[in-house]
Structure formats: C-alpha cells, structure tokens
Amino acid sequence: MKKRALGPQGLTVSAEGLGCMGMSAFYGAFDDAESTATLQRALDLGVTFLDTADAYGPHTNERLVGRVLADRRDEVVLATKFGNELDHEGTRTGQVNGRPEYVRKSVDGSLQRLGLDVIDLYYQHRVDPDTPVEETFGVLGELVAEGKVRYLGISEASPDTIRRAHSTSPLTAVQTEYSLFTRDVEDDGVLAAVRELGIGFVPYSPLGRGFLSGKIRSIDDFESDDFRRSSPRFQGENFARNLEVLDRVVAIAESKGVTPSQLALAWVLAQGEDVVPIPGTRRTANLEENVAAVDIELTADELAAIEEAAPAGAAAGERYAPQGMRTLNH
Ligand SMILES: NC(=O)c1ccc[n+]([C@@H]2O[C@H](COP(=O)([O-])OP(=O)(O)OC[C@H]3O[C@@H](n4cnc5c(N)ncnc54)[C@H](OP(=O)(O)O)[C@@H]3O)[C@@H](O)[C@H]2O)c1
C-alpha cells in the first residue's frame, strides 16, 4: 500500500484510509462480524488509517474499532472526532459543543471506548458557533501536551476557522466532504488554505455516499432508516439529474476497464499528494475493490474527460437537509 504524508508534523498514513461510520450508523443494517472481518482485511492490505467518531452509533463504532485495535494497535493510525454533542446517556442532542470541559470529557470517553492510551488524530467534528475556536483548540493543545492526543484536525471548517485553529494549536488534517459529486472545497477557499498552511486534506464521502459506485439508482435502493433518504441529492428531480452525471462517469470507467468506485477514488487521489480519502464500506469485497484504486493512474486526457462529464457544481441538490447544512461552518 502506498503511503502519504499527512500534515507538516511527520504523520504518515496509507494513501487510502477506511471510513468506519457505516459499520454502525446511518446507512441501514450492519453486522459487527462482517465489519470486523472488513477491518481486519483492511489492515492485512496495509490500510492503516481508520476513521471513526464518538457520534457514530453513538459510541458503538468506537467500541467496534477498539475491539480490532486490541490486537493490532501498532498497525493503525486511529482518527476519531468529538463535538456533535452527546448527552450523559450518549444520545445526540442536535447541538455542537466545543467548550473546553466538554472536549476533556469527550476525549476521556473516546479513549475508554477505543481501549487506547492515546488517540492518533483527534478532530473537532463540527465547529461550535458559540465557543471561540481558540478556546477549543487551546484545550486540544493541552491534550497533546498531556499525551492523550498526538495530532489535531478539524472537520467542515471555513478557511478563517482553519487559520484560527491552526494558529492556536497546529493542525495536521482538515476533513471535509469531497468527491466528483461534491467539489465545494475547490472554490470556497478550504483547499487553498490547507495547501498554504501545509495541512493534510482528508476527503470524506469520496464515493458521494455510495452514489458514485453506480449501484444506487433509486431512493428505494436505500433501507427505510437510511440517512440518505433525507438528502436533497437523492430527491425527485435532483436524483434524476444526478443520475445523468453519474452515467457519464460510469461510461468513462467502463472505457478504462475499472469500476465507477475505483474511478471516483482515483480521481480524488489524483487531486494531490496531500489528499487521503477515507471511503467507507462494511464489506470486504467493496474494500478490496476500493483499495485497488490506489494503483490506478489517470492520464491528463482521462482527467479532462472526467472534468467534462462531472464539472464542479454538476450535482443537483444540497448535500445535507437544512438541519445538517446549519451545522456547517462558512
Ligand atoms: N466528518 C464528517 O462530518 C463525516 C461525514 C460523513 C462521513 N465521514 C467519514 O467518511 C467516511 C466515508 O464516507 P461515507 O461512508 O459517508 O461515504 P462514501 O465513502 O462516499 O460511501 C460509502 C457508501 O458506499 C458504499 N460503497 C463503498 N464501496 C463500494 C463499492 N466498491 N461498491 C459499491 N458500494 C460501495 C458503502 O456501502 P457498503 O458498506 O455496503 O459497502 C456505503 O454505503 C465515513 O465512514 C466516515 O468515517 C465523516
């Protein structure tokens, strides 16, 4: 497995990570035994960058990953997140909390559930509009000094917030949605800011939440409790327009002899050596398909054809319903 440097402090990770969220939340039924096998296979293949969060489950995804880490801790760069507020019973409140006392409580909970002494990469999952980011990253800097956390990150933050966080306690990674289906970071200043500051960039949902696999053709392909049913991208006219974009991408994949998922991942990987996507899957077969994308090179002509097929802004519909859009930091 190829490796990539993430951020300016010397952290190195596999060029593709594994997103673990769907193993415990949001995308319909899951099976811990199947997810455990997928996690083990990922490590066998050299995928060493695992992405979880306290809010996935909540809590159950960290416990699942922790069980795998119990025997293989040294192979893994483990990333988790805090900030989508959980109450004392572990239920999501719908608020975002970046207050220092909440950060301290969260890190101790994650360490305990993961069974770790130190978290490799700790992200603020969403920016708290009511707590200055300097306060949040002040306490995060203390946690690094205390040895509870190695590296710091932030998710879905504006360029200004990224700069303020980074100047308080240096960032290693910024995580934001980025795929052929969601290209906002190219022109909202986020990619420009991380590049100027030397921070690594971790695209989440690099398969467009599974859409770019070409396997999702109707809202009925989602189970009744699947979060994607509420996404504007998968509603009515938006869905129909997005399928037109998708079909052009699928045609390019077919002509290259790769799967649509592989083409989508190869495209993200081609955006720069500072980019480390974290596709999510519960299934070993999909994992193996996705991992093979690391070795797929796209020529300049192929990149131009993809650009023409799926230019920035081609996707119809917001990427979250209004409640989710409100938690994004602009
Ligand atoms: N920071 C944030 O706010 C945030 C938000 C969302 C996600 N994330 C992180 O990013 C990770 C990845 O994002 P994501 O899971 O939302 O979206 P994604 O990686 O774009 O897509 C995942 C979906 O694609 C399917 N899939 C994966 N590989 C496939 C393949 N080869 N063929 C067909 N289907 C395939 C998966 O289903 P199967 O499981 O059935 O394979 C799953 O439904 C998450 O796991 C999470 O760790 C972070």
Side-chain angles (χ1 to χ4, degrees), residues 18-23 25-30 34-35 38 50-53 56 61 79 81 84 123-126 154-156 175-179 202-216 222 226-228 259-262 265 277-291 319-320 327-328:
L18 175 61
C20 302
M21 180 182 84
M23 297 176 179
F26 298 121
Y27 295 161
F30 49 84
E34 184 179 30
S35 298
T38 301
L50 303 182
D51 189 83
T52 179
Y56 299 162
N61 195 240
K81 319 184 193 76
N84 282 324
Y123 293 99
Q124 183 176 23
H125 205 158
R126 288 291 183 274
I154 195 165
S155 174
E156 291 288 0
Q175 181 176 138
T176 300
E177 185 167 354
Y178 186 41
S179 71
V202 176
Y204 79 72
S205 304
L207 297 169
R209 299 188 179 266
F211 185 66
L212 291 163
S213 73
K215 303 269 170 64
I216 297 162
F222 299 132
D226 193 310
F227 147 87
R228 292 170 289 189
T259 70
S261 298
Q262 289 173 332
L265 291 171
I278 48 167
T281 181
R282 300 159 290 188
R283 299 177 211 286
T284 304
N286 287 350
L287 169 85
E288 291 173 351
E289 180 185 327
N290 298 345
V291 166
R319 54 200 179 93
Y320 287 99
T327 70
L328 307 181

Side-chain angles (χ1 to χ4, degrees), residues 14-80:
S14 52
E16 189 181 282
L18 175 61
C20 302
M21 180 182 84
M23 297 176 179
S24 307
F26 298 121
Y27 295 161
F30 49 84
D31 174 70
D32 279 1
E34 184 179 30
S35 298
T36 301
T38 301
L39 281 159
Q40 296 285 4
R41 183 73 180 132
L43 301 192
D44 293 346
L45 292 171
V47 176
T48 55
F49 186 38
L50 303 182
D51 189 83
T52 179
D54 58 0
Y56 299 162
H59 291 172
T60 48
N61 195 240
E62 287 188 330
R63 290 202 182 95
L64 174 81
V65 172
R67 289 195 289 277
V68 172
L69 289 175
D71 295 327
R72 307 186 68 169
R73 170 66 180 115
D74 294 345
E75 299 171 53
V76 175
V77 174
L78 187 279
T80 192

